[in-house]
Amino acid sequence: MRKDDCIFCKIANGEIPSKTLYEDADFRVILDLGPATKGHALVLPKEHAANLYELPGDIAAKVLPVAKSVAEKMQRNLGCIGLNLVQNNGEAAGQTVPHFHMHIIPRYAEDGQKIGWVPGESTADELEEVRKQITE
Ligand code: 5GP
Ligand code: ZN
């Protein structure tokens, strides 16, 4: 299903033009309009899914091979020396466009970007409690 008011549905399906790096039956990979670094790209499924939870399993299984192939081209042709894959789900996680997308962000020496989190602290008991909460 495509969602009428979803900008990434329109881009993924070619109704709105984009700088396309790759396309197949399930995906379009485009350059991000506000690139964190040179080559910053987005993997967009053509079918609408708001986030990872809504993404069908068969499409989820194809996302990483697509990202890997584009990442390899970036390494070869842009000369990036690192790469971040980022995938935000929900406003709390920084998602601003509610159509699943995976960021591919090539990294360069002193590119001025910082992608990460503030490390916390945890005891073994706390980790065990969380492990149980997630898995039981
Ligand atoms: P999020 O914050 O949801 O993980 O990422 C949304 C990304 O989409 C941002 O990096 C933003 O620059 C990009 N973006 C938003 N609107 C458009 C658009 O119309 N075209 C393109 N190419 N990128 C967009
Ligand atoms: Zn959509």
Side-chain angles (χ1 to χ4, degrees):
M1 277 284 290
R2 286 159 201 178
K3 206 161 168 270
D4 284 345
D5 59 349
C6 173
I7 185 157
F8 279 5
C9 277
K10 291 193 171 82
I11 292 174
N13 292 285
E15 288 165 46
I16 294 178
S18 62
K19 296 296 181 194
T20 295
L21 304 177
Y22 172 83
E23 184 183 5
D24 64 21
D26 298 313
F27 296 97
R28 184 186 294 269
V29 182
I30 64 167
L31 287 178
D32 194 295
L33 265 189
T37 63
K38 181 181 172 183
H40 180 172
L42 302 171
V43 181
L44 308 180
K46 290 187 174 179
E47 294 296 319
H48 183 82
N51 49 45
L52 183 66
Y53 303 109
E54 288 188 8
L55 196 67
D58 61 324
I59 300 297
K62 293 176 181 174
V63 172
L64 203 55
V66 168
K68 178 175 167 60
S69 138
V70 173
E72 285 169 352
K73 277 195 176 169
M74 287 172 171
Q75 189 184 43
R76 239 185 354 260
N77 299 336
L78 293 178
C80 53
I81 56 169
L83 182 127
N84 294 106
L85 293 180
V86 177
Q87 202 277 303
N88 301 322
N89 296 280
E91 277 180 47
Q95 185 179 15
T96 58
V97 182
H99 174 123
F100 175 95
H101 50 282
M102 180 175 276
H103 296 259
I104 308 173
I105 306 176
R107 301 301 302 271
Y108 309 90
E110 291 165 27
D111 61 20
Q113 289 295 342
K114 194 166 187 289
I115 296 164
W117 54 89
V118 181
E121 287 178 9
S122 197
T123 65
D125 285 350
E126 285 166 343
L127 292 179
E128 177 56 13
E129 192 52 42
V130 176
R131 189 195 67 76
K132 280 192 196 149
Q133 243 186 303
I134 294 170
T135 58
E136 282 173 9

